[in-house]
């Protein structure tokens, strides 16, 4: 991938987000050493607004687009990157801050900030792929560090990352879990959620909250019908789909079908 | 002591059987209660079996409930099947390392685990036979499966309870255990004179049985054991006519019912994960960051994923309709062309563990009934 002998250059960029996904990278204690040996890493925190320089073999982008400046900055990042991979629910779906897409931002700003007139923000929080072409989207809130290492290894090796887009259920069953929905009557978003977490919550007898967003070909209306029959009301159904991936189309549309 | 014919053992005899198998170097696997369900796991003693428990099952519903007696095997099959051990969810195939002389590939060693399964039902015996056919005969042989299978000791159980989603009678796989078992038990007198009628089905079974405290079975024991099986057969939760499935389904590939089921199907893959005959796997490669080490492993896959039918240009079965239809017609029709047997044993797991209760017997009936009009 890089020019001869030089280490590949990896950049980590931050947009509107909580830093949780970057922490996943720092959390790769054992792997980090190998990452640092294999690549040259540059961090660009949100605060760095100075003129960008250099070109990067792989850009990891965390966060969503919520300001006009960021909408401009991401174009510059794209121009400077050979591969651009978005990481986390913010970058791939708009994040929890995309709840604003269902409300009036000016009203929110007036409630939250003493001087709302200082705030310059867009009416929506949108994923990076709405603004520039993206080579790979790594889902999760936060991302799974094992998957992050897999994506970096795959891009370094020039192969497709082994990050399947199927339901959480498949990993849940491979783990040998007893299904919390069928055996306990606990609502679970696993059947419509993209795998990635190794079915963390059902492994602890909790229903899935959908951190990784919609799976390939999700059928949320069918799951909602079943959950409604189990006793979940319209308001609860709406909230179920309105979390970290509220703005991902299949979850957004499903939440809009329920509740007031 | 030489043993021939049918004998009777007590609860203590069952306890001795577990101990004896362990002493003979087996990993003894049996039903046990975990997370409010009866699953299969390693067991060390009789006390770990789900004594006094049963299950209630329906489409998309499973509940563990206490029995009013002390039965050890008084329930139907649960979320696990024995393929979890014989054909595990992930299996390392090989590793490779970059050396000065090039790539050095090391195949994963063959497993040396010897399993003894306790409580294998008729449907699951047939499911094991189906996986034997797929994984150890003909084209591609899975050496890991074969190694575990050859070392396996099976203690079957004739079912005393049919689950509400069971239809083994329709598929001719139960409730009496038939086929390759070493020992087969029928539980009798759960409150008084609690005992098990035991038949040996192999030389290995006869040798083990001879070492257990037992007495010869009387005519009464045998009649009671037969009555247990006929009562279960008369109480199947589901049924499905199975002699015409091949023609029925293949002449209805464009039936509107496929659209109706697709509107409900989550394509989550749960049915294929719980099915004791589903055998499909995919391979996954892992490389380290430096590119010095590679490993390839095999993992359970499902025909409900898009990647399953991905070829150049995209997935062949992009619609949920085509994926559900592929699954069901393979189980019930084209499996016969491919392997000469049915792909379904009527265990009912796919019905119970479908998160939205889709029922294979109901789908077949809907298509069949539509032809009557
Ligand atoms: S617990 Fe949830 S993720 Fe696991 S199989 Fe059941 S529905 Fe799927
Ligand atoms: S909520 Fe779902 S996606 Fe998130 S960690 Fe739990 S199981 Fe995984
Ligand atoms: S298709 Fe369903 S009923 Fe048939 S063997 Fe598989 S899980 Fe059991």
């Amino acid at each position: 991938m890089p020019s001869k002998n030089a280490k590949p250059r990896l950049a980590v960029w931050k947009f509107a987000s909580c830093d949780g996904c970057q922490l996943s990278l720092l959390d790769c204690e054992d792997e980090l050493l190998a990452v640092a040996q294999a690549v040259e890493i540059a961090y660009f925190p949100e605060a760095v607004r100075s003129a960008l320089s250099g070109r990067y073999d792989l850009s990891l982008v965390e966060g969503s687009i919520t300001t006009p400046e960021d909408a401009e900055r991401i174009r510059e990042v794209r121009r400077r990157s050979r591969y651009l991979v978005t990481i986390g629910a913010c970058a791939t779906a708009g994040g929890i801050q995309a709840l604003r897409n269902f409300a009036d931002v000016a009203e929110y700003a007036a409630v939250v900030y003493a001087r709302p007139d200082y705030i310059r923000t867009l009416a929506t929080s949108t994923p990076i792929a709405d603004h520039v072409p993206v080579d790979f989207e790594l889902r999760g809130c936060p991302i799974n560090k094992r998957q992050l290492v897999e994506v970096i290894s795959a891009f370094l090796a020039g192969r497709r990352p082994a990050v399947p887009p199927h339901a959480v259920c498949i990993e849940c069953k491979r783990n040998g879990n007893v299904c919390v929905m069928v055996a306990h009557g606990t609502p679970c978003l696993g059947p419509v959620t993209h795998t990635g977490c190794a079915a963390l919550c059902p492994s602890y007898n909790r229903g899935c909250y959908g951190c990784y967003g919609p799976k390939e070909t999700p059928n949320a209306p069918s799951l909602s019908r079943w959950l409604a029959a189990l006793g979940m009301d319209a308001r609860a159904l709406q909230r179920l789909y309105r979390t970290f991936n509220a703005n991902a189309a299949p979850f957004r549309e499903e939440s809009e079908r329920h509740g007031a | 002591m030489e043993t021939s014919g049918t004998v009777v053992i007590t609860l203590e005899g069952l306890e001795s059987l577990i101990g004896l198998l362990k002493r003979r170097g087996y990993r003894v696997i049996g039903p046990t209660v975990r997370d409010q369900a009866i699953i299969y796991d390693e067991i060390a003693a009789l006390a770990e079996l789900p004594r006094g428990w049963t299950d209630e099952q329906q489409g998309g519903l499973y509940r563990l409930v206490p029995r009013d007696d002390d039965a050890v095997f008084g329930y139907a099959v649960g979320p696990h099947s024995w393929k979890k051990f014989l054909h595990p969810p992930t299996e390392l195939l090989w590793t490779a390392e970059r050396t000065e002389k090039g790539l050095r590939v090391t195949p994963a060693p063959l497993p040396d685990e010897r399993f003894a399964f306790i409580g294998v039902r008729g449907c699951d015996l047939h499911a094991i036979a189906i996986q034997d056919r797929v994984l150890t005969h003909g084209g591609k042989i899975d050496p890991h499966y074969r190694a575990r299978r050859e070392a396996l000791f099976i203690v079957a159980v004739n079912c005393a309870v049919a689950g509400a989603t069971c239809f083994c009678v329709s598929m001719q796989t139960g409730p009496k255990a038939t086929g390759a078992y070493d020992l087969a038990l029928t539980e009798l007198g759960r409150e008084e004179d609690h005992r098990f009628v035991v038949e040996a089905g192999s030389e290995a079974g006869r040798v083990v049985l001879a070492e257990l405290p037992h007495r010869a079975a009387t005519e009464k024991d045998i009649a009671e054991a037969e009555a247990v099986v006929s009562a279960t057969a008369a109480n199947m939760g589901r049924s499905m006519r199975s002699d015409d499935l091949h023609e029925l389904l293949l002449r209805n590939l464009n039936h509107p019912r496929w659209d109706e089921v697709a509107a409900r199907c989550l394509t989550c893959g749960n049915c294929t994960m719980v099915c004791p005959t589903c055998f499909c796997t995919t391979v996954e490669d892992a490389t380290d960051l430096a590119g010095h080490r590679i490993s390839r492993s095999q993992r359970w896959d499902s025909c409900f994923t898009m990647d399953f039918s991905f070829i150049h240009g995209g997935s062949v079965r992009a619609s949920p309709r085509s994926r559900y239809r592929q699954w069901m017609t393979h189980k019930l029709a084209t499996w016969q062309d491919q392997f000469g047997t049915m792909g379904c044993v009527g265990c009912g797991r796919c019905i119970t563990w479908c998160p939205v209760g889709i029922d294979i017997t109901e789908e077949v009936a809907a298509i069949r009934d539509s032809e009557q009009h």
Side-chain angles (χ1 to χ4, degrees):
Chain A
M1 187 164 76
S3 57
K4 254 196 223 121
N5 301 326
K7 281 185 187 177
R9 302 186 73 204
L10 181 139
V12 184
W13 310 89
K14 178 174 157 56
F15 288 79
S17 59
C18 74
D19 281 2
C21 290
Q22 291 195 39
L23 283 178
S24 296
L25 180 61
L26 297 178
D27 190 26
C28 299
E29 287 143 21
D30 298 337
E31 298 87 347
L32 202 59
L33 216 61
V35 174
Q37 273 168 8
V39 298
E40 181 190 323
I41 306 179
Y43 282 97
F44 294 95
E46 202 173 18
V48 177
R49 299 249 189 256
S50 52
L52 301 176
S53 65
R55 303 191 67 78
Y56 298 91
D57 295 295
L58 176 60
S59 277
L60 300 177
V61 178
E62 179 195 90
S64 68
I65 303 298
T66 55
T67 65
E69 291 77 17
D70 278 355
E72 216 18 76
R73 191 164 58 106
I74 189 61
R75 287 197 183 84
E76 188 55 29
V77 170
R78 176 71 266 191
R79 276 192 284 276
R80 297 185 170 280
S81 311
R82 174 141 181 238
Y83 292 115
L84 190 157
V85 171
T86 51
I87 58 172
C90 302
T92 60
I96 190 81
Q97 60 273 27
L99 285 175
R100 70 163 71 171
N101 303 6
F102 302 90
D104 180 354
V105 170
E107 209 177 286
Y108 272 9
V111 174
V112 176
Y113 298 98
R115 293 291 306 270
D117 50 313
Y118 282 10
I119 305 295
R120 216 159 78 88
T121 184
L122 295 170
T124 54
S125 168
T126 44
I128 301 299
D130 281 8
H131 300 265
V132 295
V134 167
D135 296 295
F136 190 81
E137 293 189 304
L138 183 63
R139 317 273 217 92
C141 183
I143 53 168
N144 172 309
K145 68 171 194 177
R146 199 181 40 77
Q147 285 201 318
L148 179 62
V149 171
E150 165 59 15
V151 167
I152 298 173
S153 315
F155 273 87
L156 292 180
R159 64 175 172 83
R160 186 178 165 213
V163 176
H166 59 61
V168 173
C169 298
I170 289 184
E171 260 184 300
C172 190
K173 281 287 189 287
R174 281 196 200 120
N175 292 352
N177 294 344
V178 172
C179 176
V180 301
M181 192 131 101
V182 170
H184 310 164
T186 305
C188 181
L189 278 180
V192 296
T193 299
H194 192 294
T195 194
C197 61
L200 189 59
C201 295
S203 304
Y204 290 92
N205 278 323
R206 305 287 299 263
C208 166
Y209 301 96
C211 308
Y212 285 66
K215 77 169 189 78
E216 60 183 12
T217 68
N219 188 350
S222 171
L223 182 64
S224 300
R225 275 197 298 278
W226 191 264
L227 293 174
L230 288 182
M232 197 178 261
D233 66 19
R235 185 85 186 100
L237 272 171
Q238 184 181 65
R239 297 181 82 116
L240 189 65
Y241 295 100
R242 274 201 192 156
T243 58
F244 335 102
N245 289 281
N247 187 56
F251 284 7
R252 185 182 62 230
E253 286 157 20
E254 190 55 20
S255 76
E256 283 167 346
R257 295 192 328 114
H258 305 279
Chain B
M1 183 165 38
E2 184 54 32
T3 307
S4 61
T6 307
V7 307
V8 170
I9 63 171
T10 58
L11 272 176
E12 291 69 43
L14 186 59
E15 181 82 279
S16 321
L17 173 62
I18 296 170
L20 180 63
L21 291 170
K22 277 167 58 87
R23 282 197 303 282
R24 288 179 167 243
Y26 287 105
R27 265 184 75 191
V28 180
I29 311 289
T32 191
V33 171
R34 197 179 76 205
D35 295 332
Q36 303 170 52
I38 295 166
I39 57 126
Y40 299 141
D41 209 345
E42 191 149 357
I43 53 163
L46 178 69
E48 291 178 58
L49 294 173
R51 196 163 162 195
W53 289 103
T54 190
D55 48 40
E56 279 170 16
Q57 304 196 33
Q58 266 312 336
L61 186 97
Y62 179 101
R63 289 293 180 274
L64 181 71
V65 285
R67 294 178 57 91
D68 47 21
D69 64 23
D70 237 4
V72 177
F73 296 107
Y75 40 83
V77 294
H80 288 179
S81 78
W82 306 99
K83 80 174 177 185
K84 169 183 162 193
F85 302 98
L86 296 175
H87 183 51
T90 52
E91 179 119 72
L92 182 68
L93 298 179
W94 51 258
T95 54
E97 217 177 328
R98 219 190 273 281
T99 67
E100 278 149 19
K101 293 186 203 123
L103 212 57
R104 198 179 62 218
V105 178
T106 318
L110 286 181
D112 53 9
E113 303 163 295
R114 296 167 66 231
F115 288 114
F117 293 165
I118 297 208
V120 181
R121 309 307 176 102
C123 59
D124 281 349
L125 274 179
H126 285 261
I128 291 171
I130 288 171
Q131 289 213 327
D132 287 350
R133 173 76 182 73
V134 173
L135 298 170
T136 64
H137 299 290
K140 183 189 169 291
I141 287 170
D142 181 332
H144 300 267
Y145 178 90
R146 188 171 57 188
R148 294 191 185 98
R149 182 64 185 90
E150 280 170 356
L152 178 65
F153 189 93
I154 296 182
V155 181
V157 164
N158 291 314
C159 288
V161 172
T165 55
C166 292
F167 56 105
C168 61
V169 168
S170 303
M171 305 314 285
Q172 289 137 38
T173 61
K176 188 165 174 57
T178 53
Y181 58 75
D182 296 291
L183 296 175
L185 315 179
T186 313
E187 186 168 17
L188 295 179
R190 295 159 202 158
E191 274 164 332
E192 280 168 35
D193 194 15
H194 200 161
R195 64 200 194 280
F196 302 86
V197 172
V198 193
E199 291 159 89
S202 72
E203 194 43 42
R206 270 182 284 279
V207 170
V208 166
L209 194 52
E211 287 188 35
L212 297 179
H214 66 268
R215 65 166 169 82
T218 61
E219 270 173 36
K220 179 169 166 285
D221 295 320
I222 292 173
E224 268 185 65
E226 280 167 5
V228 164
V229 172
S230 0
T232 309
N235 281 296
M236 284 287 121
R238 295 283 200 278
S239 69
M240 179 169 80
R241 185 180 151 192
S242 62
D243 60 341
D244 65 343
L245 289 169
H246 189 270
E247 298 69 32
L248 177 75
L249 294 179
L250 296 187
R251 72 172 170 263
N252 280 298
L253 291 177
N254 290 311
H255 198 282
R257 184 73 187 191
W258 301 115
D259 293 313
E260 290 168 39
V261 72
R264 296 171 64 206
C265 178
L266 303 169
T267 63
C268 61
N270 268 306
C271 49
T272 55
M273 298 287 116
V274 295
C275 179
T277 71
C278 275
F279 58 86
C280 285
T281 52
T282 182
V283 290
E284 212 168 85
D285 292 347
T287 49
D288 66 344
L289 280 158
H292 291 316
R293 280 193 191 79
I294 316 172
S295 66
R296 172 166 291 181
S297 49
Q298 164 179 296
R299 4 173 93 225
W300 285 355
D301 199 6
S302 169
C303 50
F304 283 91
T305 70
M306 291 283 274
D307 280 347
F308 189 87
S309 69
F310 190 92
I311 56 168
H312 175 76
S315 292
V316 175
R317 298 189 200 102
S319 70
R321 174 186 192 268
S322 61
R323 279 176 267 160
Y324 184 85
R325 187 179 60 187
Q326 156 64 25
W327 173 73
M328 198 168 103
T329 54
H330 190 218
K331 289 273 135 193
L332 302 179
T334 52
W335 199 294
Q336 300 180 45
D337 305 326
Q338 197 181 359
F339 301 113
T341 67
M342 248 338 158
C344 170
V345 296
C347 71
R349 286 184 178 91
C350 56
I351 307 174
T352 299
W353 298 98
C354 171
V356 294
I358 295 173
D359 179 341
I360 188 171
T361 66
E362 192 182 315
E363 295 312 306
V364 166
I367 291 177
R368 175 173 288 119
D369 293 349
S370 73
E371 288 194 340
Q372 322 287 307
H373 302 301

